[in-house]
Amino acid sequence: MKNFADDLARKIAELNNPTVMGLDPRLEYIPEDIRQKWIKDLAPDTELAAACAIYEFNTALIDAVCDIVPAIKPQFAYYEMYGVAGIDTLKKTIAYAKNKGMLVIADAKRNDIGSTATAYAEGIIGETELDDGSRKHMFNADAVTVNGYLGIDGIKPFLDVCARDGKGIFTLVHTSNPSAVDFQDMVLEDGRKVYELMADCVNEWGKELIGEEGFSSVGAVLGATVPEQAVAARKRMPNTFMLVPGYGAQGAGPDAAVASFTKDGKGAIVNASRSLMCAWKKREDLAPSDFARATRDEALDMKAKLNAALKDRKYV
Amino acid sequence: MKNFADDLARKIAELNNPTVMGLDPRLEYIPEDIRQKWIKDLAPDTELAAACAIYEFNTALIDAVCDIVPAIKPQFAYYEMYGVAGIDTLKKTIAYAKNKGMLVIADAKRNDIGSTATAYAEGIIGETELDDGSRKHMFNADAVTVNGYLGIDGIKPFLDVCARDGKGIFTLVHTSNPSAVDFQDMVLEDGRKVYELMADCVNEWGKELIGEEGFSSVGAVLGATVPEQAVAARKRMPNTFMLVPGYGAQGAGPDAAVASFTKDGKGAIVNASRSLMCAWKKREDLAPSDFARATRDEALDMKAKLNAALKDRKYV
């Protein structure tokens, strides 16, 4: 039976690289030539020009890394901000990456009551039923990030789609931003921290979706910037697949990024967005038009660093 | 200076109606004739047919209530599930309602780290900067719902847009779904419940955005299904504008729905989605084509019930 955690674990093993490339395409990440070409061709429709520039940039990056990086993580905000044209680019980026053999984690952090969570699950990872009785994929991502503040009601509809279609979710447990601790590290009267309560929920929610590789399709988001919490959370979630943001531009290095991996170095994937997408800006030896090569070089460097950190663990 | 909480308070006072119409348009809420007409005209593009049926339905409902209901609350999930065409309908629905003088609360429950929260804030309530240097409204809602699990980092970018453009946010404090209590009512070691911690955060975040009417543009979502928690939360958030889901189809009656209003019956707005959108299904005296009249009748009934409940408060 198709299981997202199996798909992800096997793809990581095949490429020997636990990296996901975040695609959070701010216009300023894109070389000026590409942006100006689209503005020139499509002005005054600057919204469409932005969406087209992003699509050209995204597909070049996907082409450059699809044989060495297992997955992409497009962040919905950066497409929504370019309106309907931006959402169209999001949909096409997902399809393009899947066609190149990559897995796609939709970073949407959705959360709502049951009926609405069903609509989100259908739209992002499942299928929508239409008026002629057909069911159609809309975004067709392999997995989606969610926020568990509403409890199981808001998660269950996603679990149903995960079970039926072999898809996955990643629930926020501990995020990578500085103020995460102000809420997520508050202590409950039973001694657990808020993020530990969430970790226990995620562990429970995922029990029915553990695949042959030993990991559940109900994953967790666990920031690389808080390695101690990542180690503590892993103990509460032995079978959970971890999505690790915060590497690179957000400040965490490879040692911290692998803190939530299992003892044998599995069950987690580290995200890098800006450090991969903007790699070309740090390369004086390359022209901006070689941006995709810079991203590939950076991805290979990240792969080597993560694998080295996994050989010699600092946080356990 | 333009302030969202002032705009909302004044619109409610003008219409003497603290109701927001939720627009969560599942296809089964729409009369068969409308749905079949669009399928016939647009097949095989069933996705576009769905989006067109929803737009026709939404605009008829807006026409029917815009002189008696102050605001709409479109829930993004129900548009996203129809893909790019659905998002286009969402954008047009927002524009249509604003043009009819209604305020628009985008129910998107966004949450992310600072840089991404900035992108969400720009896209949904602010303006996006484009490559010709122009700034353009994308969805241009008046307010947006957010989830505070990430702490102030994920909220601050919204506050900046609220201050600059007179927009608003509503942060989830206590939601209306059954399992909300499993997380939001957990007790911290300092005696507060998790939702009370969130209430204190919301109260603090909103201090700089209190308008002339005495309410902050940093509002809270406080479910009608938990009136005791609503009363407790109001005490911690004296100046917060409350968005109250859970009335009608979710089970709460008018007494519970007004639990979080201030003593003088202000500072909150009650959402109804299914009970307003599907009012025609309960009317044997009307043809389905009179669906908009059924919604107007239901809205007038809800207005009367809320105002009666405000005269004789059960929860204080």
Side-chain angles (χ1 to χ4, degrees), chain B:
Chain B
M1 211 168 83
K2 183 171 154 51
N3 175 289
F4 169 74
D6 283 344
D7 294 345
L8 185 58
R10 287 164 188 163
K11 190 82 189 170
I12 290 170
E14 179 199 330
L15 302 184
N16 187 33
N17 187 8
T19 296
V20 50
M21 177 167 72
L23 286 180
D24 311 351
R26 281 247 168 210
L27 282 180
E28 59 263 33
Y29 298 175
I30 304 176
E32 194 64 24
D33 282 359
I34 295 178
R35 293 158 61 181
Q36 289 308 321
K37 180 186 72 184
W38 285 108
I39 279 285
K40 191 165 156 284
D41 287 353
L42 294 174
D45 194 341
T46 46
E47 201 173 322
L48 184 60
C52 289
I54 291 169
Y55 187 67
E56 180 175 339
F57 184 63
N58 280 355
T59 52
L61 296 188
I62 290 166
D63 286 344
V65 304
C66 63
D67 61 326
I68 55 169
V69 172
I72 61 163
K73 180 175 76 65
Q75 163 53 259
F76 276 37
Y78 294 94
Y79 301 87
E80 194 171 88
M81 71 184 288
Y82 300 108
V84 176
I87 297 293
D88 188 52
T89 280
L90 168 63
K91 183 173 174 164
K92 288 174 180 157
T93 296
I94 293 172
Y96 191 88
K98 288 178 65 126
N99 195 43
K100 293 280 174 172
M102 300 182 87
L103 290 162
V104 177
I105 301 168
D107 198 355
K109 300 191 174 66
R110 294 300 190 249
N111 60 111
D112 220 299
I113 63 167
S115 50
T116 304
T118 298
Y120 277 131
E122 289 174 352
I124 300 176
I125 56 174
E127 295 170 325
T128 296
E129 188 172 342
L130 292 157
D131 251 342
D132 60 352
S134 67
R135 299 185 65 83
K136 214 163 163 180
H137 286 298
M138 291 296 153
F139 293 95
N140 201 19
D142 297 296
V144 59
T145 56
V146 299
N147 180 321
Y149 190 76
L150 284 85
I152 183 66
D153 297 339
I155 301 296
K156 182 69 170 52
F158 288 96
L159 301 185
D160 294 342
V161 174
C162 290
R164 190 185 65 209
D165 298 345
K167 301 291 179 101
I169 60 171
F170 292 94
T171 306
L172 297 189
V173 169
H174 204 303
T175 56
S176 55
N177 59 304
S179 74
V181 296
D182 297 342
F183 187 82
Q184 298 159 23
D185 284 54
M186 292 295 285
V187 180
L188 298 168
E189 62 172 359
D190 65 10
R192 288 182 295 176
K193 292 183 172 175
V194 167
Y195 81 87
E196 293 177 319
L197 162 64
M198 193 63 90
D200 291 345
C201 291
V202 170
N203 189 54
E204 192 61 38
W205 296 338
K207 284 191 168 158
E208 303 293 315
L209 290 168
I210 297 175
E212 292 168 1
E213 303 290 331
F215 296 103
S216 173
S217 294
V218 179
V221 174
L222 209 46
T225 50
V226 286
E228 287 84 6
Q229 287 93 326
V231 169
R234 165 56 80 190
K235 290 190 177 127
R236 309 185 91 95
M237 300 184 283
N239 302 106
T240 300
F241 221 108
M242 308 298 182
L243 172 62
V244 183
Y247 179 84
Q250 282 185 61
D255 292 325
V258 302
S260 65
F261 283 60
T262 60
K263 276 181 190 150
D264 53 354
K266 293 182 176 169
I269 191 160
V270 180
N271 181 74
S273 301
R274 271 170 283 174
S275 59
L276 290 175
M277 300 181 79
C278 300
W280 63 274
K281 294 192 177 188
K282 292 188 293 186
R283 290 286 292 267
E284 290 177 7
D285 62 320
L286 290 180
S289 57
D290 286 332
F291 67 91
R293 191 178 140 199
T295 295
R296 184 180 173 88
D297 291 348
E298 182 71 22
L300 287 169
D301 183 59
M302 180 174 168
K303 170 187 170 180
K305 283 179 176 154
L306 290 178
N307 280 319
L310 280 170
K311 283 218 178 72
D312 183 20
R313 305 282 288 270
K314 292 282 186 302
Y315 300 92
V316 277

Side-chain angles (χ1 to χ4, degrees), chain A residues 27-36 57 280 288-289 291:
Chain A
L27 283 180
E28 59 263 31
Y29 297 175
I30 303 175
E32 193 67 22
D33 281 359
I34 295 178
R35 293 158 59 181
Q36 288 309 319
F57 184 62
W280 63 274
S289 58
F291 66 93

